[in-house]
């Protein structure tokens, strides 16, 4: 048969997550307290996260067991299928073999639920009754809403007001799962009320929403905050993607020369890539490519240094590539790739030459996504389109070089909730945009005052 | 492990469709020519459908090979997973074991692509370059658009104007797949122009859209018409669902006491149920339940007789349960269940006591869907909600009777494109509605003039 789809049975699913901290050539540098600028310890995070997740965040154990209660929920959509994209290969006329993991099969339509169910579970066993979070376009908010409903936790989502108003369907999803989703800034927090009083017409921002979610968590009973990317434990929860992929690829006797994922905070990329980065550390020759937008070129142009995770500067300082915590990206359709920073783990792997970042334009991303939909059927999320742009680049290179290389990428989610971007693409309204150098300088200038991690490239 | 998910490998997928006509105790009665009222032959349909599909429509062969080219496309999302819904069982407190097939994993989000790719393929090998169809809410139009893009056919979709205006996302999906979707009535056909001249502000109807799609097909070069349900060959293409389910259930040593699907035209129901109806014909004790809305009670209250498939009366007369071809249902959110008729195959099986129809209200359907989303994660299409209402009824009965029965149902599609119905459910705007008896009488009165098939119950 001309197609290839590899599925795993329930009993073949990986039973542990992979913690790349056990294998990194350069150990991770600690996050710093936002006030004292000294390394923080577990207790500094105890009002924000439950201690069992803080322990995971700091753990250097290579393998961490997936609790049975988490596995039970993951099995609703996992193991996700691995496919060979033969029609797409044919459409590109490439000798490359292109494999992909389909993470769009989850109830929320992306990889996000992989960590959402784990976080909901750990909070629940720690005695937490309620989680708060922020969401921009709504992917993370809906994933956490779903996870909380499965574990019987309350969920409060602060959604950036402009998205709340423009994207009503994501908040309807959250309502189906029983979450309380409010536009941010809201009247429900001190931070929100202050901003509303000063600027009643503000469209809101992810930074404001984070501030509200954290304030709510630390001032409410039995409540903690949950983050959908960037942190070590979040990326680790996603490694089930790559661990499954390794088993599936082995079943068809394939091993990738190139592994690709799109990168916002970095969780879907890390999920597929980290088990392969482990192989690379141990000598495998393999390219590991993170694809980001030119409009938000965190990895390719953002300096490495300490920076805040949020706009207001309330989070610990993290050692990462950053465009500056006050960075405001142009409105591009890949809402999930508009974060100013990137996961510290990925930042360190870039420094160590284990991960190669590349930037792509949104028009070429949509171009790749349309070709994909018309050959492979599935409609990609705008974020996933950036991974596809990298796949197309690699496949074309293979064609030019006449090489039969094997490409594996993470099809991180479907675009059925984000069709407006396609509509604008077809009507020619989408514009490419690359961050001007002077803006990069302006947004990153304040970082010079922070302490410098080893390898810092901010002035 | 507490969950159960059964996946099939690529080489375990059924290689043939099941044609229930080979096993029916009462042979199907022929469709009649709309003008002469005499049984029609293959040639009468040759301008509308390609001859290879007409042959399938009339075939009494039990097993029909799935062409390799069709299988290649089906494998993009098939075999679909079978799950046991343990969390839903627990939420209902039922001793029943509830299994379901997840047809929401297809690119269009429902079972519709199963027949769309088959129809596109058969048209292509017959030399057809372009397909036309109508669509109401857009599920079928988007499925056919996808199938045409995979086989390189042009696709023209006439979408009921009110849906075209109110549901912009479905037409964006079709655009991604390269289809030409226009609001119906359109200026592209004589029928459309006539109606536009008379009633420029008409919201359109499925009947008008069918008329336009057929006119376009018969007056354009290398063009045929494609229908997404009702016909014999369409239902047969869906039997891969039930054939897979039988293999999957066997793997966990289970056999259903009750098989459930929602019924509009009948294709997703038939797809799961027909292989089980075959077992029932051969002596298995099994209940096979079709769930429809009280607002459009075709099977439960519509008389059996000859009626047209479209509003205008251009199609052959078909022997089926019907509310009358001029029936206009109340606007309920399950757009796919608003058809005035039901597949002749299913109608005959109801007459023979092999299929049991039941009607449900939309509020109880949404109630079941919300409980489902909060326990099993996935958000159901409003049509699928009617199947869930039947599952809940059966599960509660099992609880009352203290019976450990096994229920299998078709989770025919996700509701991510239809979240507005949930929004209205939560805000209390959804109303139940049962077709008044006087309306039923009025709409079915004209059927008395048509010839009577054996078993006719129309006066």
């Amino acid at each position: 048969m001309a197609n290839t789809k590899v599925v795993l049975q329930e009993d073949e699913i990986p039973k542990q997550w992979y913690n790349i901290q056990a294998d990194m050539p350069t150990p991770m540098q600690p996050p710093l307290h936002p006030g004292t600028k000294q390394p923080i310890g577990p207790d500094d995070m105890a009002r924000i996260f439950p201690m069992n997740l803080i322990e995971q965040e700091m753990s250097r154990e290579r393998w961490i067991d997936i609790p049975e209660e988490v596995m039970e929920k993951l099995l609703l959509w996992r193991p996700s299928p691995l496919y060979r994209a033969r029609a797409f290969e044919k459409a590109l006329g490439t000798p490359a073999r292109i494999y992909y993991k389909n993470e769009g099969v989850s109830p929320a339509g992306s990889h996000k639920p992989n960590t959402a169910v784990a976080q909901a579970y750990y909070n629940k066993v720690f005695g937490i009754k309620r989680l708060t979070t922020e969401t921009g376009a709504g992917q993370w908010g809906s994933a956490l809403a779903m996870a909380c409903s499965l574990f019987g936790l309350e969920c409060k989502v602060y959604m950036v007001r402009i998205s709340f108003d423009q994207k009503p369907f994501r908040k309807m999803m959250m309502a189906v799962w029983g979450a309380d989703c409010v536009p941010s800034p809201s009247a429900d927090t001190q931070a929100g009320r202050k901003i509303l009083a000063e600027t009643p017409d503000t469209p809101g921002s992810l930074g404001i929403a984070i501030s509200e979610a954290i304030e709510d968590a630390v001032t409410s009973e039995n409540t903690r905050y949950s983050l959908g990317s960037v942190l070590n434990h979040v990326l680790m929860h996603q490694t089930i993607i790559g661990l499954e992929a390794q088993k599936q690829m082995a079943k068809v006797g394939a091993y990738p020369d190139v592994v690709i994922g799109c990168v916002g905070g970095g969780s879907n990329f890390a999920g597929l890539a980290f088990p392969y980065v482990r192989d690379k550390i141990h000598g495998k020759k393999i390219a590991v490519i993170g694809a980001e937008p030119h409009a938000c070129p965190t990895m390719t142009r953002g300096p490495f240094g300490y920076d805040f995770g949020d706009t207001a500067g309330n989070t610990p300082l993290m050692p990462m590539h950053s465009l500056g915590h006050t960075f405001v990206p142009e409105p591009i359709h890949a809402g999930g790739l508009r974060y100013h920073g990137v996961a510290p783990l990925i930042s360190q792997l870039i420094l160590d030459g284990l991960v190669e970042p590349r930037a792509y334009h949104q028009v070429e991303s949509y171009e790749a996504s349309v070709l994909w939909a018309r050959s492979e059927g599935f409609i990609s999320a705008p974020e996933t389109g950036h991974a596809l742009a990298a796949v197309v680049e690699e496949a074309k290179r293979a064609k030019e070089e006449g090489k039969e290389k094997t490409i594996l990428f993470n099809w991180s989610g479907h675009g059925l909730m984000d069709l407006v971007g396609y509509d604008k693409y077809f009507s020619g309204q989408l514009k490419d945009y690359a961050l001007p150098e002077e803006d990069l300088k302006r947004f990153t200038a304040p970082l010079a005052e922070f302490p410098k991690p080893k390898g810092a490239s901010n002035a």
Side-chain angles (χ1 to χ4, degrees), chain A residues 313-329:
Chain A
N314 292 327
T315 72
L317 286 162
M318 294 186 290
M320 63 180 180
H321 286 277
S322 174
L323 299 170
H325 58 276
T326 60
F327 177 69
V328 182

Side-chain angles (χ1 to χ4, degrees), chain A residues 264-319:
Chain A
S267 75
N268 97 74
F269 167 77
L272 178 66
F274 280 6
Y276 287 103
V277 173
R278 180 179 183 229
D279 291 353
K280 189 170 182 173
I281 291 167
H282 291 98
K284 272 275 184 194
K285 289 211 169 164
I286 177 174
V288 181
I289 299 168
E292 67 180 8
H294 275 302
C296 188
T298 316
M299 299 183 294
T300 49
R301 293 171 60 203
F304 177 75
Y306 273 114
D307 197 7
F308 294 115
D310 69 328
T311 308
N314 292 327
T315 72
L317 286 162
M318 294 186 290

Side-chain angles (χ1 to χ4, degrees), chain A residues 394-436:
Chain A
E394 284 296 310
K396 286 186 174 168
R397 186 169 300 169
K399 187 178 178 179
E400 286 160 18
E401 296 173 354
K403 276 191 190 163
E404 282 196 11
K405 71 180 155 191
T406 298
I407 299 169
L408 169 65
F409 80 100
N410 200 9
W411 196 79
S412 54
H414 68 62
L416 299 186
M417 309 295 289
D418 300 281
L419 289 160
V420 172
Y422 284 94
D423 202 42
K424 290 192 178 162
Y425 168 74
F426 287 123
S427 62
Q429 292 176 65
L430 278 196
K431 295 278 171 280
D432 281 341
Y433 175 87
L435 179 66

Side-chain angles (χ1 to χ4, degrees), chain A residues 71-82:
Chain A
M71 187 63 84
E72 195 179 302
K73 301 308 176 193
L74 290 174
L75 283 173
L76 291 173
W77 64 94
R78 306 213 70 83
S80 73
L82 176 121

Side-chain angles (χ1 to χ4, degrees), chain A residues 32 94 96 129 237 340:
Chain A
L32 307 182
T94 179
K129 307 288 185 204
H237 295 156
H340 71 272

